[in-house]
Amino acid sequence: MQNFAGHEKPRKPPLCHGFSLLWGLLFGLCMESALVKACPTMCHCIEKSGMTVVQCMSRSLEKIPSDLPRDTVVLLLASNHITHIPNHAFKDLHYLQELDLSNNDIETVDVGAFQGVSDSLLFVDLSNNRIQSVPKEAFARLRAKISFSNNPWHCECTLQEVLRELRLDPETVNEVICHTAVQEEYAGKPVIQVLDSGINFCNFHHKTTDVAMFVTMFGWFTMVIAYVIYYVRHNQEDARRHLEYLKSLPSSSQISKDFDTISTVL
């Protein structure tokens, strides 16, 4: 019977270890490349001049895809049914330079919509949507050129503050029209034209606030006066009734006379 106690387990040659490490490295790189290059099923991804272009135009999308390639440089989402740009919608797209969201149904833009891409973006197209107002914080750090044309804008203080901080596309700047305004006379006019004429929507905002405060204070004052008048009249009525009651009581002199009469009789 053979004794195996002194025998060592055969070792793999170093070359085998080298091949294992190489295959593991290649597999890891392939998996990482697949994650980066993965394209949404409803979109078409192409390489153009070394840049990844993701084309999702006219695909009846109702929201922005969440599985976009991380190396996306150009993202085309025009002519869909997107209604909302949520917070962190593009947070992993650190190379994104051009974003086209034109001809959608966008009504709201969240405060953190462009967080993570504010430094890389060069152009954003939000034209031909349904945007009436936007939070100024959403575009606070954005340095991109933006197209806001053909939206039903409500011209008021917040919009004025947003536009003063942005780089509007010069080719479409006159198509940013006041659909409604805090002053009706400015409806239908280009926003920039109104602002360049010296109009300050923030002044109207403050005036409206002041008027509202005045109306509120006047209402309270009227209520106080009405209460005082009611209180005085109510007390006057009580006082009158009390006086009438006192007058109806017999006087002390009459009581004395009646007492004398009774004494005489007795």
Side-chain angles (χ1 to χ4, degrees), residues 15 57 77 96 109 128 160 180 184 211 235 251 262-263 265:
L15 185 60
M57 299 173 64
L77 290 164
L96 187 63
V109 180
N128 295 289
Q160 173 180 311
T180 57
E184 292 184 3
V211 169
N235 284 351
S251 64
I262 294 171
S263 299
V265 172

Side-chain angles (χ1 to χ4, degrees), residues 57-177:
M57 299 173 64
S58 303
R59 301 302 172 96
S60 299
L61 298 176
E62 296 183 356
K63 62 181 182 178
I64 297 169
S66 59
D67 54 345
L68 295 164
R70 294 186 178 183
D71 61 345
T72 301
V73 176
V74 179
L75 178 56
L76 307 176
L77 290 164
S79 302
N80 283 290
H81 303 296
I82 299 170
T83 60
H84 175 220
I85 307 179
N87 288 321
H88 312 294
F90 316 102
K91 64 177 181 178
D92 295 324
L93 309 184
H94 302 299
Y95 304 101
L96 187 63
Q97 296 182 10
E98 182 177 338
L99 175 62
D100 187 356
L101 283 161
S102 62
N103 295 289
N104 274 279
D105 300 318
I106 298 172
E107 296 180 351
T108 56
V109 180
D110 283 353
V111 171
F114 301 103
Q115 191 168 344
V117 294
S118 56
D119 293 330
S120 62
L121 272 174
L122 300 178
F123 182 73
V124 179
D125 192 347
L126 289 169
S127 62
N128 295 289
N129 278 283
R130 299 181 180 181
I131 307 172
Q132 295 182 352
S133 63
V134 290
K136 61 181 179 180
E137 295 82 5
F139 302 91
R141 297 182 55 191
L142 207 60
R143 297 179 295 180
K145 185 166 59 175
I146 300 180
S147 176
F148 273 158
S149 62
N150 298 314
N151 279 281
W153 293 107
H154 176 62
C155 291
E156 38 76 44
C157 185
T158 301
L159 180 61
Q160 173 180 311
E161 292 178 344
V162 169
L163 295 182
R164 290 197 185 281
E165 299 296 326
L166 292 181
R167 292 178 55 212
L168 293 178
D169 178 22
E171 296 182 5
T172 60
V173 68
N174 289 323
E175 297 172 10
V176 182
I177 308 293

Side-chain angles (χ1 to χ4, degrees), residues 13 24 29 34 37 59 63 78 83 97 111 132 180 190 192 202 204 215 226 248 250 253 255 259-260 266:
L29 289 174
K37 300 292 184 180
R59 301 302 172 96
K63 62 181 182 178
T83 60
Q97 296 182 10
V111 171
Q132 295 182 352
T180 57
I192 298 302
C202 294
F204 294 127
V215 170
S248 66
S253 59
I255 293 174
F259 182 75
D260 292 340
L266 292 175

